[in-house]
Amino acid sequence: MSTHEESNSEYPRKIRDFQVLSTMKPSEWTEIELQSSHRQMSDLSPWLNEQGTHIHSQIIQEIERRGV
C-alpha cells in the first residue's frame, strides 16, 4: 500500500493531490484529506506565508465544524 492509500473503505482509495484540493473548498475534502493536510501544514507552519496560514486556518475550522 502506498503512502497515499487509505485502508478504511469509508474514504476514497487515494488522497487527492494538494494542487487539486487547493481548487476546492475544505468542506468538499474528505476527513482523511483534512487530517493529512492539517498535519503537514502544522509541520510547515513556521514557513507558511499569509496565504498558507489562511488555508491552514480554513482546514482547522472545517475539522472543528465536522467534529473530527
Side-chain angles (χ1 to χ4, degrees):
M1 182 181 301
S2 78
T3 58
H4 293 323
E5 292 181 10
E6 184 60 31
S7 60
N8 187 338
S9 62
E10 182 179 335
Y11 300 106
R13 295 301 290 166
K14 295 190 179 209
I15 296 173
R16 291 173 283 195
D17 185 271
F18 191 77
Q19 190 170 24
V20 173
L21 292 174
S22 67
T23 66
M24 304 165 54
K25 297 176 186 175
S27 60
E28 300 171 316
W29 298 13
T30 64
E31 288 181 11
I32 194 69
E33 289 167 339
L34 287 168
Q35 292 169 340
S36 175
S37 295
H38 172 53
R39 185 173 46 252
Q40 292 170 7
M41 293 183 95
S42 292
D43 291 345
L44 296 172
S45 64
W47 299 281
L48 292 177
N49 62 16
E50 187 175 337
Q51 182 180 8
T53 301
H54 177 71
I55 293 168
H56 190 208
S57 176
Q58 289 180 314
I59 291 169
I60 292 169
Q61 289 173 2
E62 183 60 24
I63 288 171
E64 289 173 348
R65 186 187 73 77
R66 293 187 195 187
V68 178

